[in-house]
Amino acid sequence: MGYRPTRRTNDAVSPPILTQVKDDKGNEVKGVLHGGQTGHVYAHRASDCSLIRFSEAMVPQENMWVLLTAEGARMLPGANGGVEWSPMAIDAAKGLTFAINLHQPMTYHVESTPYPAGKLWLGGAFKVIPGEQQWGNITAVDYNTGKIRWKVKTAQPMIGGIIATAGGLVFAGEGNGLLKAYDSATGGKFWRFQAGAGVNAPPSSYTVDGKQYIVVAACGNTQLNYNRGNNIIAFTLSD
């Protein structure tokens, strides 16, 4: 029997987040949040993993579960997502989770190739559609309702991760080398820095002697062919 793969954007590769979530009756329960390659944020009960809700779509969706064809079947989100492996972040005081997304229109093809002896083998191919615009976004989702609170479009598909601070900021990097800070309540742009290479790793935060720092790697990305680099950059946060 031949192998006919279905598209893979239903896998959940973004790390899950544990937090208190309101269920469908308004009661707070221990929940699990994760970002799907479908372009939704999902909230589950931690006790039994049952689904509480999923968010409004953060990116366009079309032919979500299409089967591949020899000519190529159009699909959105593309094979990378939605949310790829990029970690999300939360602001529990605001009930918001922040996700970065990719918009890459693709066609899904069956292509018969010999099995390459232990190496990656898909039994098909995902191909970006020439001439169609690719972009990304940063989206804030109210995980107690599933509603999108705000969204900021980016020039390129987003991959890497995002962090939220207690001071009301979110930080995320882009493939064009920009690291940006946003107001976590509104999505308003607060600050930017050009790192010289793709900022495609999740920022982190730490403190030394009471001073808070944001640190991120600017090393690019091979999956989306963003400019390579070799730097880890730290910034201080001032009052």
mmCIF file of all heavy atoms in Angstrom, residues 140-158:
data_model
loop_
_atom_site.group_PDB
_atom_site.id
_atom_site.type_symbol
_atom_site.label_atom_id
_atom_site.label_comp_id
_atom_site.label_asym_id
_atom_site.label_seq_id
_atom_site.Cartn_x
_atom_site.Cartn_y
_atom_site.Cartn_z
ATOM 1 N N ALA A 140 -1.689 39.077 20.232
ATOM 2 C CA ALA A 140 -2.050 38.934 21.646
ATOM 3 C C ALA A 140 -3.446 38.339 21.725
ATOM 4 O O ALA A 140 -4.400 38.887 21.156
ATOM 5 C CB ALA A 140 -2.012 40.280 22.349
ATOM 6 N N VAL A 141 -3.573 37.218 22.403
ATOM 7 C CA VAL A 141 -4.840 36.495 22.520
ATOM 8 C C VAL A 141 -5.278 36.480 23.976
ATOM 9 O O VAL A 141 -4.491 36.154 24.873
ATOM 10 C CB VAL A 141 -4.694 35.046 22.005
ATOM 11 C CG1 VAL A 141 -5.938 34.229 22.309
ATOM 12 C CG2 VAL A 141 -4.405 35.035 20.507
ATOM 13 N N ASP A 142 -6.536 36.829 24.222
ATOM 14 C CA ASP A 142 -7.147 36.663 25.537
ATOM 15 C C ASP A 142 -7.497 35.186 25.683
ATOM 16 O O ASP A 142 -8.447 34.697 25.069
ATOM 17 C CB ASP A 142 -8.397 37.541 25.640
ATOM 18 C CG ASP A 142 -9.050 37.503 27.016
ATOM 19 O OD1 ASP A 142 -8.944 36.468 27.709
ATOM 20 O OD2 ASP A 142 -9.695 38.500 27.397
ATOM 21 N N TYR A 143 -6.724 34.476 26.489
ATOM 22 C CA TYR A 143 -6.917 33.025 26.542
ATOM 23 C C TYR A 143 -8.132 32.627 27.375
ATOM 24 O O TYR A 143 -8.513 31.456 27.401
ATOM 25 C CB TYR A 143 -5.658 32.301 27.024
ATOM 26 C CG TYR A 143 -5.048 32.786 28.320
ATOM 27 C CD1 TYR A 143 -5.589 32.448 29.552
ATOM 28 C CD2 TYR A 143 -3.887 33.553 28.316
ATOM 29 C CE1 TYR A 143 -5.008 32.863 30.737
ATOM 30 C CE2 TYR A 143 -3.296 33.982 29.492
ATOM 31 C CZ TYR A 143 -3.859 33.632 30.706
ATOM 32 O OH TYR A 143 -3.286 34.056 31.873
ATOM 33 N N ASN A 144 -8.766 33.586 28.060
ATOM 34 C CA ASN A 144 -10.001 33.293 28.789
ATOM 35 C C ASN A 144 -11.247 33.411 27.910
ATOM 36 O O ASN A 144 -12.329 32.993 28.313
ATOM 37 C CB ASN A 144 -10.133 34.217 30.000
ATOM 38 C CG ASN A 144 -9.107 33.908 31.065
ATOM 39 O OD1 ASN A 144 -8.898 32.758 31.430
ATOM 40 N ND2 ASN A 144 -8.444 34.943 31.572
ATOM 41 N N THR A 145 -11.095 33.995 26.721
ATOM 42 C CA THR A 145 -12.220 34.124 25.788
ATOM 43 C C THR A 145 -11.904 33.586 24.404
ATOM 44 O O THR A 145 -12.817 33.285 23.624
ATOM 45 C CB THR A 145 -12.631 35.597 25.635
ATOM 46 O OG1 THR A 145 -11.565 36.335 25.009
ATOM 47 C CG2 THR A 145 -12.953 36.225 26.991
ATOM 48 N N GLY A 146 -10.620 33.511 24.039
ATOM 49 C CA GLY A 146 -10.220 33.118 22.690
ATOM 50 C C GLY A 146 -10.201 34.283 21.711
ATOM 51 O O GLY A 146 -9.859 34.097 20.535
ATOM 52 N N LYS A 147 -10.522 35.491 22.175
ATOM 53 C CA LYS A 147 -10.548 36.655 21.298
ATOM 54 C C LYS A 147 -9.153 37.242 21.120
ATOM 55 O O LYS A 147 -8.337 37.240 22.049
ATOM 56 C CB LYS A 147 -11.471 37.739 21.860
ATOM 57 C CG LYS A 147 -12.921 37.294 22.039
ATOM 58 C CD LYS A 147 -13.578 37.018 20.705
ATOM 59 C CE LYS A 147 -15.052 36.692 20.878
ATOM 60 N NZ LYS A 147 -15.711 36.366 19.585
ATOM 61 N N ILE A 148 -8.892 37.742 19.917
ATOM 62 C CA ILE A 148 -7.635 38.442 19.657
ATOM 63 C C ILE A 148 -7.735 39.853 20.203
ATOM 64 O O ILE A 148 -8.665 40.597 19.865
ATOM 65 C CB ILE A 148 -7.317 38.446 18.152
ATOM 66 C CG1 ILE A 148 -6.977 37.031 17.676
ATOM 67 C CG2 ILE A 148 -6.171 39.399 17.832
ATOM 68 C CD1 ILE A 148 -6.778 36.905 16.187
ATOM 69 N N ARG A 149 -6.795 40.238 21.054
ATOM 70 C CA ARG A 149 -6.789 41.577 21.644
ATOM 71 C C ARG A 149 -6.123 42.584 20.712
ATOM 72 O O ARG A 149 -6.606 43.687 20.533
ATOM 73 C CB ARG A 149 -6.079 41.552 22.998
ATOM 74 C CG ARG A 149 -6.073 42.870 23.742
ATOM 75 C CD ARG A 149 -7.409 43.217 24.362
ATOM 76 N NE ARG A 149 -7.851 42.212 25.314
ATOM 77 C CZ ARG A 149 -7.465 42.180 26.612
ATOM 78 N NH1 ARG A 149 -6.620 43.095 27.080
ATOM 79 N NH2 ARG A 149 -7.926 41.239 27.412
ATOM 80 N N TRP A 150 -4.958 42.204 20.154
ATOM 81 C CA TRP A 150 -4.302 43.052 19.164
ATOM 82 C C TRP A 150 -3.386 42.204 18.299
ATOM 83 O O TRP A 150 -3.062 41.073 18.631
ATOM 84 C CB TRP A 150 -3.545 44.212 19.801
ATOM 85 C CG TRP A 150 -2.494 43.882 20.837
ATOM 86 C CD1 TRP A 150 -2.632 43.949 22.198
ATOM 87 C CD2 TRP A 150 -1.135 43.461 20.606
ATOM 88 N NE1 TRP A 150 -1.466 43.589 22.825
ATOM 89 C CE2 TRP A 150 -0.520 43.300 21.879
ATOM 90 C CE3 TRP A 150 -0.375 43.216 19.467
ATOM 91 C CZ2 TRP A 150 0.802 42.880 22.026
ATOM 92 C CZ3 TRP A 150 0.959 42.800 19.602
ATOM 93 C CH2 TRP A 150 1.517 42.641 20.870
ATOM 94 N N LYS A 151 -3.017 42.794 17.159
ATOM 95 C CA LYS A 151 -2.160 42.087 16.200
ATOM 96 C C LYS A 151 -1.281 43.107 15.492
ATOM 97 O O LYS A 151 -1.746 44.180 15.104
ATOM 98 C CB LYS A 151 -3.023 41.343 15.185
ATOM 99 C CG LYS A 151 -2.265 40.416 14.246
ATOM 100 C CD LYS A 151 -3.200 39.832 13.193
ATOM 101 C CE LYS A 151 -4.248 38.937 13.789
ATOM 102 N NZ LYS A 151 -5.071 38.282 12.749
ATOM 103 N N VAL A 152 -0.002 42.793 15.327
ATOM 104 C CA VAL A 152 0.948 43.640 14.603
ATOM 105 C C VAL A 152 1.551 42.829 13.463
ATOM 106 O O VAL A 152 2.135 41.763 13.686
ATOM 107 C CB VAL A 152 2.078 44.160 15.526
ATOM 108 C CG1 VAL A 152 3.116 44.932 14.724
ATOM 109 C CG2 VAL A 152 1.508 45.032 16.632
ATOM 110 N N LYS A 153 1.403 43.314 12.249
ATOM 111 C CA LYS A 153 1.947 42.628 11.077
ATOM 112 C C LYS A 153 3.430 42.932 10.932
ATOM 113 O O LYS A 153 3.882 44.048 11.181
ATOM 114 C CB LYS A 153 1.195 43.062 9.819
ATOM 115 C CG LYS A 153 1.559 42.285 8.564
ATOM 116 C CD LYS A 153 0.698 42.731 7.399
ATOM 117 C CE LYS A 153 1.024 41.976 6.116
ATOM 118 N NZ LYS A 153 0.167 42.399 4.985
ATOM 119 N N THR A 154 4.214 41.926 10.503
ATOM 120 C CA THR A 154 5.642 42.103 10.265
ATOM 121 C C THR A 154 5.963 41.822 8.798
ATOM 122 O O THR A 154 5.222 41.109 8.118
ATOM 123 C CB THR A 154 6.476 41.180 11.164
ATOM 124 O OG1 THR A 154 6.125 39.814 10.902
ATOM 125 C CG2 THR A 154 6.237 41.486 12.634
ATOM 126 N N ALA A 155 7.078 42.366 8.349
ATOM 127 C CA ALA A 155 7.418 42.286 6.928
ATOM 128 C C ALA A 155 7.749 40.873 6.480
ATOM 129 O O ALA A 155 7.587 40.535 5.301
ATOM 130 C CB ALA A 155 8.597 43.213 6.631
ATOM 131 N N GLN A 156 8.209 40.032 7.386
ATOM 132 C CA GLN A 156 8.617 38.671 7.056
ATOM 133 C C GLN A 156 7.925 37.671 7.983
ATOM 134 O O GLN A 156 7.497 38.035 9.085
ATOM 135 C CB GLN A 156 10.134 38.527 7.222
ATOM 136 C CG GLN A 156 10.956 39.411 6.300
ATOM 137 C CD GLN A 156 12.411 39.447 6.753
ATOM 138 O OE1 GLN A 156 12.731 39.956 7.818
ATOM 139 N NE2 GLN A 156 13.289 38.883 5.935
ATOM 140 N N PRO A 157 7.796 36.414 7.568
ATOM 141 C CA PRO A 157 7.290 35.390 8.485
ATOM 142 C C PRO A 157 8.118 35.352 9.768
ATOM 143 O O PRO A 157 9.341 35.494 9.740
ATOM 144 C CB PRO A 157 7.446 34.089 7.686
ATOM 145 C CG PRO A 157 7.386 34.523 6.253
ATOM 146 C CD PRO A 157 8.074 35.857 6.214
ATOM 147 N N MET A 158 7.432 35.166 10.889
ATOM 148 C CA MET A 158 8.092 35.220 12.198
ATOM 149 C C MET A 158 8.429 33.813 12.685
ATOM 150 O O MET A 158 7.566 32.918 12.683
ATOM 151 C CB MET A 158 7.185 35.903 13.211
ATOM 152 C CG MET A 158 6.969 37.390 12.950
ATOM 153 S SD MET A 158 8.406 38.381 13.404
ATOM 154 C CE MET A 158 8.201 38.482 15.174
#
